[in-house]
Structures are given as structure tokens and as C-alpha cells.
Amino acid sequence: MPSTFRHLRRYPAPTGLERHDYAQWVLPVRGDLQFEVGGRGGRLDLLQGAFVAPGESHDLEGQGENCCLIIDCHPGALDDDTLEHLRQQRWLALPKHIRQQLQHIHAQDAEADPLPQLLRYFAPAGSGARLQALCAAIRQCPGADWSVARMAAQVGVSGSRLHALFAHEFDVSPQAWLGAARLRWAKQELLRGDASISDIALRAGYSEHSALTRALRRESGLSPSQWRRQGSSLGQDTSVTPA
């Protein structure tokens, strides 16, 4: 019996809270999605996926055209240490080689099963452990002063080595990844409540309201207020804690 079952899914409407007794990877292939897992909300896109541990409640809603590869891991596919590590990590900064594979995968193509690559990268002693720890720290506090020097110190490398690692793993610079993380966080906050756009921009690490507006327009073509209205019209749940 295969250790995983894979299926491609689109999410035109909220799934409603789901819970199951197996682990699951949620890997965006296209689009931007709102995701809640274990009571924490976040956004999934081509740079960020998520892991759902057995028994965790979760809900997913797409915003516009979207598609995800869902990998269900049967009991026993992951050892206890890996399962607990991924439960704590939850949000997955997707490396370039996995993103490239996702663009060409067929849900039931056994030869294209990304699980071995995922485990080599995301397992406790995986090749991506140091960068994943940095990415998790940035997600927790995106508005902090994340200079290249500070990011490099967190990973334990020089600034030039950090640039080389990000280019190799993510195909972007550290500053570009940071910018994407800040915008992802701001987009989530815009849907959560009625905090002012200026306040959200500053908390996300932007110098001013207009900097957030420019970044969001480049990505989505929408201003922050338009993004908020569009999310409200889709009935987004704003009660969860962002990540």
C-alpha cells in the first residue's frame, strides 16, 4: 500500500473546518489562499505551504484562481520525531526545486511523488533546517529590523553566504523573501479586522502606508482597501490568529 495519497484540488469556497487522523501537506501550485490550522491563520502562495498534523482542525479558502497539491500521509509514513518537528514548524518556506516540481506534477504520478524531497528538506536534520528556522522567526515578527547582517547571524553565516543560500534554495535574495513575508502578513492582517492600513503597514515593516500600497498593487493590482473589501465580500473568517 502506498504511503501517501495525492490529489490536486481547487478551492472556490471555504472548505469548513476539517479534521482527520492522518498528516497532510498543503502545497500551492497556483494562486493565493487563506488557511487556518490549529487555530492559527496564515496565507499560502507559491513561496509558502503548510503541514497539518493528525487531529488538527483546518480550513482553507482560495482567493481567485487557485490550485493545491494535497499529500495525505498514511499512519506510519512519518516517524514521531519528524511528525512533532513538522507540527511545530507548520508553515513551510518552499524551496525552488520543490516549487519547480509542483508546476509539472500529476496527482497520481508515482514517479513524481514529492514526499521524499519534502522529507530531505523539512525533516529535523534536513538540508533546509537552518533557513527554515530563520524563515519561521521572520514570520513571527515580520516588522522587526531584519537586516541582512541580522539574518546572516541567525543562520550563522556571512552576508554573502546568506545571499548564496537564498539564491540556491529559494531563487530569490534574502530581501526579496523578507518582502514577500511582510506582504503575506499584511494581506492576512487586512482581512482580520478594522486596524488602520497605516498601522498594519508599519507593523509589517513598511516605512509608510504608500510602501504597502505599492507592494500590494505590484502583486495583485489592488490597493489595501480594495484587498480588504474583496476579502470581506468573500466572507473571510477574521477571528484566527495570523502567522
Side-chain angles (χ1 to χ4, degrees), residues 20-194:
H20 38 65
D21 61 0
Y22 50 86
Q24 189 176 72
W25 306 72
V26 183
L27 308 176
V29 176
R30 183 170 60 256
D32 189 337
L33 303 99
Q34 165 82 6
F35 192 58
E36 176 189 347
V37 57
R40 296 188 67 83
R43 299 201 70 81
L44 306 184
D45 54 36
L46 296 184
L47 290 176
Q48 179 163 286
F51 178 82
V52 181
E56 283 193 314
S57 60
H58 54 285
D59 185 11
L60 196 152
E61 179 176 0
Q63 192 161 346
E65 177 63 22
N66 65 83
C67 180
C68 287
L69 177 70
I70 308 298
I71 304 175
D72 299 333
C73 292
H74 298 297
L78 304 174
D79 62 65
D80 291 344
D81 288 344
T82 298
L83 193 59
E84 183 57 27
H85 174 78
L86 291 169
R87 184 198 303 271
Q88 295 297 323
Q89 183 169 302
R90 184 167 291 147
W91 308 102
L92 310 171
L94 299 174
K96 174 178 62 176
H97 67 278
I98 290 175
R99 299 200 313 267
Q100 290 172 340
Q101 187 174 353
L102 287 172
Q103 297 307 307
H104 304 287
I105 199 163
H106 299 287
Q108 295 307 315
D109 182 354
E111 295 183 358
D113 185 357
L115 184 60
Q117 286 194 57
L118 289 168
L119 292 178
R120 281 195 295 272
Y121 192 78
F122 290 109
S127 62
R130 288 191 299 171
L131 285 184
Q132 289 298 312
L134 171 61
C135 292
I138 291 172
R139 280 192 295 267
Q140 288 295 315
C141 194
D145 179 18
W146 287 106
S147 64
V148 171
R150 179 181 177 181
M151 289 189 279
Q154 174 122 359
V155 177
V157 297
S158 67
S160 60
R161 179 59 180 158
L162 185 74
H163 275 277
L165 287 171
F166 266 78
H168 180 265
E169 297 293 349
F170 300 132
D171 201 27
V172 297
S173 68
Q175 298 96 324
W177 197 96
L178 172 63
R182 284 175 165 168
L183 182 58
R184 186 185 300 117
W185 185 89
K187 288 161 66 178
Q188 174 73 5
E189 281 291 292
L190 287 166
L191 301 180
R192 287 190 66 236
D194 57 1

